[in-house]
Amino acid sequence: MKKILVANRGEIALRVMKTAKKMGIKTVAVYSTIDRQSPHVKFADEAVLIGEAPSNKSYLLGNKIIEVAKSLNVDAIHPGYGFLSENADFAEACEQNNIIFIGPKSHAIRIMGSKLAAKDAVKSYNIPMVPGTDEAITDIADAKKIAANIGFPILIKASAGGGGKGMRIVEKESEFESQMDRAISEAVNAFGDGSVFIEKYVASPRHIEIQVMADTHGNYIHLFERECSIQRRHQKVVEEAPSSVLTPELRSKMGEAAVNVAKACDYVGAGTVEFLLDEHHNFYFLEMNTRLQVEHPVSEIITNTDLVELQIKVANGEKLPMQQKDLKITGHALELRVYAEDPLNDFLPSVGTLETYKLPEGKGIRVDNGFEEGMEIPIYYDPMISKLITYGNTRDEAISLMKQAISDYDIKGIETTLPFGTFVCEHDAFRSGNFDTHFVKKYFSAEKMKLQHEKEAKIAALIALKHFNDEEKQLRVPN
């Protein structure tokens, strides 16, 4: 493999290109008009404009991207995450054009892209499932009876869904039909597919996911778990590895289940198997993401691996260079997604110019970044601008370093989720490890964060005053 086209933008495009460069592989960037000056465009060996700012006129143009790849004699395409990364038709088109798709085969993407098909595929492996329907709902009256048998509260979920779209919690039977109509309508609008199913609502779940890797020689491994329970609007904001609640026995069971999910669809490459963990530490298969995850750095750090390098090697037909017995967890890693969002205003997007943009540095600090000072945050794409990752020998060390790194981050011109990261790191529930996916709903409010800011400002002012008084006293001391 001599040349890779990265069909993405921002921090993930840059992160993939850095590994490719380390491996001696040339890179091609594609970009939209608004991303002309982006770091990933400057970093690549070659860069091609593919369209206007909206993603459906640029980064989602699979056929155009393949045309560019062919014209530049590209060997492989890395899709990153988002955009075309879980598009089975795009993966198939790459295969048909003799371009290596750095990811799973199209059939695996299709199976795992439908939550119902995924459930059906893993049945024979006895993987724990949340009680619910195993096929799409067609008759609402029958579905209502099934829901009553399962027991409320229940969850209505879009089969083709993700990111909380097409998802409705139904607390009681009288709300069932109206919530079903809303879920189907939202699923049609978001995915063009109104198929929904129902399952028991796990009241206090933790969101635990397992990183898996597989090669074309029948080798499967898992790289342990990530704790992803700190979310807003069903989207992760803070992730860590390992989880503070998994015992070695539970970790082994969940890892084995994740590998079996990968085997169920003949998976190749990097993937993530997501589970719900209830308050009694029972785990249930949720779904599989057939791509690299945003939070993959925390897994890389605790296992001392480069997942993108492994993706490229596996796509090139090489065997995995390690077996399960070679992998162990070392230390603890934490990741904060730095979104251009205002936590004091219901996490609404914050667009503007990065008037000041200085990143933290130091031992144990990693920033996967896709922006530079002076750039504008575009409204057309996901609002994540970077990822802040910290590593320590212990969880407490990683948390302390995260707080310090957040304070060393200097961003002016937009609002970000950095203050929310501080709020999380200082909250007793997070520090104790006793939290679930309802953390934001239970503990967070704009008022609480404002009070925290005021408290920190007062402490900083008192410290500054003490330093000033101490210096004054020293100046007054006669020789």
Side-chain angles (χ1 to χ4, degrees), residues 51-52 65 153 271 274 278 294 321 331 347 356 409 413 447 458:
E52 295 172 35
I65 289 170
E274 304 202 349
D278 70 17
V294 174
F347 292 95
T356 303
Y409 230 116
E447 289 71 29
K458 283 178 183 176

Side-chain angles (χ1 to χ4, degrees), residues 36-54:
R36 195 181 297 274
Q37 298 301 320
S38 291
H40 81 278
V41 176
K42 298 173 186 176
F43 186 87
D45 295 293
E46 297 172 85
V48 179
L49 174 67
I50 52 165
E52 295 172 35

Side-chain angles (χ1 to χ4, degrees), residues 98-112:
N98 296 316
I99 296 168
I100 297 167
F101 179 77
I102 302 177
K105 301 302 177 189
S106 54
H107 75 272
I109 298 174
R110 284 199 174 91
I111 291 169
M112 290 300 160

Side-chain angles (χ1 to χ4, degrees), residues 122 206 345 402:
V122 304
R206 294 179 80 116
N345 191 18
M402 176 61 76

Side-chain angles (χ1 to χ4, degrees), residues 31-34 48-54 57-59 61 64:
Y31 62 95
S32 68
T33 49
I34 205 164
V48 179
L49 174 67
I50 52 165
E52 295 172 35
K57 294 182 178 180
S58 51
Y59 297 106
L61 298 177
K64 189 163 187 179

